[in-house]
Amino acid sequence: MTVAAEMLRTYPKDIGQIDQEALAECIEACVECAQACTACADACLSEDMVADLTKCIRTNLDCADVCEATGRVLSRHTGYDANLTRAILDACRTACASCADECEEHTMHEHCTVCAAACRSCEEACATLLVAL
């Protein structure tokens, strides 16, 4: 059981009709994607052709920020706001798609390939949770 799933299980109140498995998977995907994007941006900065990776670095950092915020919002249940949750999930899905698209342009860098896969996973997890809400 993941930490996110364990925390959801131990929440003292009823979380409601949210699919807890999809929620836990989305939280974990957001955390993992944020880490991958941060590491990819840093790796891009170490490449000899760093000037060619400016857009990738920016997209990575934007995606990392959105994923971190999404993971935090999804981890809070007191005073739950479904409209905010849907909006941030949609924003995260969009950021992940943009970042994956950009990283897929740089497949000569293995870190971009790894990051793109993490972004696609998070994009899918956000889409799945959106349908479940």
Side-chain angles (χ1 to χ4, degrees):
M1 182 177 286
T2 66
V3 171
E6 188 73 9
M7 290 305 296
L8 290 171
R9 186 189 66 73
T10 62
Y11 191 73
K13 302 271 187 192
D14 181 27
I15 293 179
Q17 309 244 352
I18 297 175
D19 179 341
Q20 287 192 24
E21 184 177 332
L23 178 58
E25 287 175 10
C26 193
I27 293 167
E28 292 290 336
C30 287
V31 170
E32 190 170 281
C33 189
Q35 188 281 325
C37 289
T38 300
C40 188
D42 184 65
C44 286
L45 289 169
S46 294
E47 294 289 351
D48 292 335
M49 56 201 314
V50 68
D52 296 336
L53 297 168
T54 303
K55 183 177 178 189
C56 191
I57 294 164
R58 169 61 189 263
T59 306
N60 280 179
L61 295 175
D62 288 347
C63 188
D65 288 345
V66 173
C67 286
E68 286 175 5
T70 303
R72 288 192 306 270
V73 168
L74 293 177
S75 295
R76 296 190 286 261
H77 307 288
T78 304
Y80 172 73
D81 182 338
N83 291 326
L84 176 63
T85 299
R86 284 186 192 95
I88 200 159
L89 281 169
D90 192 47
C92 191
R93 189 174 49 84
T94 300
C96 288
S98 293
C99 192
D101 289 347
E102 180 61 29
C103 281
E104 287 166 354
E105 295 291 319
H106 306 284
T107 56
M108 74 286 278
H109 304 297
E110 190 174 2
H111 54 84
C112 286
T113 301
V114 172
C115 186
C119 289
R120 294 289 181 212
S121 269
C122 190
E123 177 187 11
E124 184 178 315
C126 288
T128 299
L129 187 56
L130 269 167
V131 170
L133 293 179

